C-alpha cells in the first residue's frame, strides 16, 4: 500500500478500515536487524545556564532554588568541623577547566576505574565557547573544588537536594 501521510487517518471510519486491512494481512516479521555502535562523548562541564536547565529538570526544582543551593555549595558548608567550599563560582559562561582541575579529574579516574585506558581519552578534552571568546574568562566552568570529595562521602552531611546538586556537578565535571 501507500504510506500514510501525517494526517492519513482523518476519521474513525478510515482507522477502522486500516485496522481491518492489517488484521487480514500476513503476520509481521522482522526481516533485518542493523547493528551499529557509536561512541558517545560526554557533555562539557556546567556553565550557569546548563546547570540551571539540567538541575531544574533532573531534581525537579525551580531555577531560583537551584542557584540558592549552588550558592551554598560555593560559599562553603560545615563538614566535620570545618567550613569548605565544594564548588567553584557558579555564575559563569565558561566551559573551561584549569589544567590542575583536569589533572585532578584524570588522577581520580585512573585511581577508581581500571584499566584507565578504557575510561580516559589519550588527551584531555578541552572546551571552548566559540560564541563568547572572552566572556567571564576569569572564571572556570562549574566544577568541584576538590575532586577527591566524592558525593558518597557527603552522605548525611548535606541536605538531600544540596547533595544531589553536588553529585550532578561532580559527575559532569569528572565525565567531561
Amino acid at each position: 500500500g501507500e504510506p500514510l501521510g501525517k494526517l492519513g487517518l482523518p476519521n474513525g471510519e478510515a482507522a477502522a478500515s486500516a485496522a481491518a486491512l492489517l488484521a487480514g494481512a500476513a503476520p509481521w516479521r522482522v526481516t533485518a536487524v542493523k547493528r551499529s555502535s557509536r561512541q558517545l562523548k560526554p557533555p562539557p562541564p556546567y556553565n550557569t545556564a546548563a546547570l540551571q536547565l539540567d538541575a531544574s529538570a533532573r531534581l525537579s526544582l525551580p531555577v531560583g532554588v537551584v542557584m540558592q543551593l549552588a550558592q551554598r555549595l560555593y560559599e562553603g558548608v560545615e563538614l566535620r568541623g570545618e567550613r569548605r567550599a565544594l564548588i567553584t563560582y557558579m555564575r559563569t559562561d565558561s566551559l573551561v577547566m584549569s589544567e590542575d582541575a583536569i589533572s585532578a579529574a584524570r588522577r581520580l579516574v585512573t585511581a577508581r576505574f581500571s584499566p584507565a585506558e578504557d575510561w580516559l581519552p589519550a588527551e584531555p578534552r578541552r572546551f571552548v565557547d566559540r560564541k563568547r571568546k572572552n566572556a567571564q574568562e576569569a572564571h572556570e566552568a562549574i566544577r568541584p573544588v576538590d575532586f577527591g570529595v566524592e558525593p558518597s562521602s557527603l552522605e548525611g552531611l548535606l541536605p538531600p537536594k544540596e547533595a544531589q546538586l553536588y553529585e550532578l556537578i561532580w559527575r559532569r565535571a569528572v565525565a567531561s
Side-chain angles (χ1 to χ4, degrees), residues 59-61 69 158-166:
L59 304 179
S60 301
L61 295 172
L69 296 174
L158 292 177
K161 290 298 181 182
E162 278 183 37
Q164 290 171 338
L165 181 61
Y166 179 74

Side-chain angles (χ1 to χ4, degrees), residues 46 49-63 66-67 164-165 168-169 172:
Y46 285 119
L51 177 66
Q52 289 172 331
L53 286 170
D54 201 32
S56 181
R58 289 176 186 253
L59 304 179
S60 301
L61 295 172
V63 169
V66 169
M67 293 311 288
Q164 290 171 338
L165 181 61
L168 273 181
I169 293 167
R172 179 89 166 239

